[in-house]
Structure formats: C-alpha cells, structure tokens
Amino acid sequence: MEKLSNRFIFVKRNTKLNDEIRVTPSTMYFDNNKSITMTQLETNNFKLVFEPLQNKRAGIPIRLLRILKEELCNYTITNKPTKHVFVNTYDPTVSDDKICFSIGQEAHLVKNGLVGINSKQCYKYILFDNEIPYACDDILEYSIPSLLSQNPRLPIFKFLHNATKPHTEIRDKIKYSECCFEGLISSSIKKNRYRKNFTDRSVSGILKQYTENNELDLHALEYLSYLTEKEIDIKELGDFLTDFLTKYPDVLEKHNQNKNGKLTEATKTNLRRLIRIYDFLRFYK
C-alpha cells in the first residue's frame, strides 16, 4: 500500500484556482476500513499538468538490461538465433535508472565505433577522461595503429598507462627519441630556450608575464615549451591546458580561427606540443 501511495496522483479540477497547481495529500477510504494516501493535484488549467507530461521520457532500469543480456539472442541474416549478445554501457558512471546500451555482434560494434576515432580526440583525451567512451585496450588495438601511421608523434602514453595489457607492438612503434623529454622539443626551441627574458622560468610565471587585463598573449603557448623538464610543474601545466581547451574547445579543429582571428595554425601546433609534453611528464613510465 505504501508503494502504491507514492505512485497514485489524483488530479482534481478546482475552479477557484487560476493558472496554478495546488499539491496536497489526499486519503481514499474503502469498505473494509482500509485507506490509501496519495498525492492530489488541484488546478483549473489541466494544460499545466499535461504539457510537462508530454516531455517526460521513461528511463530503463539497469536490472532490465541484465535480463536482456541473459535472455536475448543476436540474430544473423538467416534469422537463426545465436548465444552471443553484447550489451555495453558507454559510460560506467551513468546512474542505474538511465543507461546507454547497444545489442549486436561485439566485433561489428567495436569496428564501427573505434575506427572513427581521430587524432584530435586523442589529444583531448590526454586532458579529459570522457573524450573517448571506449576502453584504452580497445583503442590501442583498433584505433592507435592506423593513427600512428599517419601521425607518429601522437600522444599515447596515457592510453598505455591506463591499459591492462602491455601492447608491446605499440610501444615498439614509439621512437626512442619520444621517450625522453628532450626528444619532444625541436632543435629551434632548444636553440632559443634561453634567449627570451622570462622574469620567472615556470608555467605560472610565464602565464602571468604574458597575461594582461585577463587576456593571455597566445605566444605564451610557444614560450612554455622553452622550459626545461625540471622547470615544469606538471599540475600547473595540466590545469592550464584543461582551462584553455575548455575556453577554446575547437582550437584543435582544422579551421580553428575564432571571431577575432586569434587562434591560428601556430596556436594549434604549440598546443599540441604542450599536450605531448604533459602526456610524457604525467603518464610515461
């Protein structure tokens, strides 16, 4: 009776009310001296009740999906049932009452989902865990090999760090020079490393020096790469990159200029270099 009382809503017209809803408890009595309490809505405008209801969408309980996983079969072209079913939650943090799921052949799903990952997503994943909704082992197996063939300097240490398998074939493709800090820095940057007059050779120091009226001079993205490994505070660099990508989410796109024309190809190049540096310092082992 208690469960039912929470699910019953009695709607009653009240002509004394104008464009409002009055919510009160209401008790209904039965012949056997039983009673049930429910919620009562009083209104003179039923539109106030029905308009919100039309936007209500039912969630699917996760326990129902477990039943589907156990009971449903995946049908082939011949309509013959098989014993294989793939139910996957794309985000493990989704609450129990709402869940995103797919049913089909696992190989087919993995192939179609993972092949579409691009290098821009890989760069963003270094800073945002939810950028790619797949396990790192699957990304390293199905996506990274082709991406590395196109871009051998792709940041992948976070993927390897979070993977459960060794992925030696991927590690073998990484250039030895990329496995040390100086290997990430171009010769021209090394040449100019000490030519700039920084008042404070640190991440926060450079950002402060090149910020005026809360506006960052985007040359700072280049100057940050002039710092040596010992001069870089990993957290400061990570916080800056996260904030910058949050403010300019399209900076890594092919056409990335904003309305003022501030974000250029040089901005993207410098940002990618900083992300590779952060990826190495934070996740390489």
Side-chain angles (χ1 to χ4, degrees):
M1 295 293 287
E2 183 180 352
K3 289 182 179 179
L4 287 174
S5 66
N6 293 328
R7 299 181 182 182
F8 281 150
I9 299 177
F10 186 76
V11 183
K12 178 182 178 180
R13 183 180 294 280
N14 186 335
T15 56
K16 296 180 180 180
L17 300 177
N18 294 319
D19 291 331
E20 61 178 307
I21 294 179
R22 180 182 297 166
V23 182
T24 59
S26 176
T27 303
M28 181 178 291
Y29 296 92
F30 301 92
D31 294 336
N32 56 359
N33 293 323
K34 297 285 186 178
S35 65
I36 182 170
T37 300
M38 65 188 75
T39 299
Q40 178 174 275
L41 305 182
E42 294 181 73
T43 182
N44 194 34
N45 183 0
F46 278 29
K47 189 177 181 181
L48 298 176
V49 177
F50 288 111
E51 280 192 339
L53 285 176
Q54 74 177 356
N55 296 322
K56 175 81 172 112
R57 297 186 181 274
I60 300 178
I62 193 170
R63 60 181 178 275
L64 175 59
L65 296 184
R66 291 195 179 102
I67 295 174
L68 292 174
K69 182 177 180 180
E70 294 172 359
E71 301 295 337
L72 287 185
C73 293
N74 177 46
Y75 287 87
T76 62
I77 297 176
T78 60
N79 290 327
K80 293 180 179 180
T82 70
K83 295 181 180 179
H84 303 291
V85 62
F86 180 72
V87 179
N88 183 39
T89 61
Y90 288 106
D91 185 356
T93 63
V94 175
S95 59
D96 284 357
D97 60 334
K98 291 182 180 179
I99 192 170
C100 177
F101 72 99
S102 297
I103 299 176
Q105 290 179 328
E106 182 174 4
H108 178 74
L109 288 171
V110 170
K111 180 179 178 181
N112 283 278
L114 290 168
V115 169
I117 293 175
N118 54 47
S119 60
K120 178 199 70 175
Q121 289 176 287
C122 291
Y123 274 94
K124 282 192 170 185
Y125 175 76
I126 304 304
L127 298 158
F128 303 100
D129 292 335
N130 60 350
E131 178 64 27
I132 305 177
Y134 295 100
C136 285
D137 288 298
D138 290 334
I139 297 170
L140 288 164
E141 181 176 354
Y142 293 97
S143 302
I144 295 300
S146 61
L147 290 173
L148 274 179
S149 65
Q150 304 168 34
N151 182 4
R153 305 195 75 180
L154 195 71
I156 61 171
F157 292 120
K158 181 178 179 180
F159 295 103
L160 292 169
H161 179 270
N162 291 339
T164 61
K165 301 176 183 177
H167 296 282
T168 53
E169 69 285 355
I170 296 296
R171 294 180 184 274
D172 290 342
K173 291 182 180 180
I174 303 175
K175 294 180 180 179
Y176 176 76
S177 61
E178 300 295 326
C179 294
C180 64
F181 180 82
E182 291 300 307
L184 300 170
I185 310 302
S186 66
S187 56
S188 61
I189 289 179
K190 294 175 185 177
K191 183 179 179 180
N192 293 293
R193 179 173 276 168
Y194 295 102
R195 292 186 177 182
K196 293 296 294 184
N197 185 23
F198 300 135
T199 55
D200 179 1
R201 291 189 61 89
S202 67
V203 174
S204 58
I206 290 177
L207 294 177
K208 182 178 180 180
Q209 182 176 345
Y210 289 92
T211 299
E212 186 174 354
N213 297 325
N214 292 323
E215 189 69 24
L216 178 69
D217 181 343
L218 295 182
H219 287 94
L221 274 73
E222 175 187 351
Y223 300 151
L224 285 172
S225 61
Y226 289 9
L227 298 175
T228 64
E229 182 174 359
K230 293 182 179 180
E231 292 171 333
I232 295 177
D233 183 291
I234 300 175
K235 186 178 185 306
E236 285 184 357
L237 180 59
D239 290 344
F240 163 70
L241 293 173
T242 301
D243 292 342
F244 190 85
L245 276 170
T246 301
K247 183 177 181 180
Y248 302 107
D250 299 327
V251 64
L252 294 175
E253 299 287 350
K254 186 174 181 180
H255 303 288
N256 62 2
Q257 285 192 341
N258 63 7
K259 294 180 180 179
N260 298 322
K262 292 182 179 180
L263 303 180
T264 64
E265 282 299 310
T267 306
K268 181 167 65 174
T269 299
N270 293 327
L271 182 63
R272 283 181 168 178
R273 183 193 301 114
L274 289 177
I275 294 175
R276 289 196 299 270
I277 290 173
Y278 176 75
D279 179 49
F280 172 81
L281 295 176
R282 174 76 170 77
F283 299 107
Y284 176 70
K285 63 177 182 179

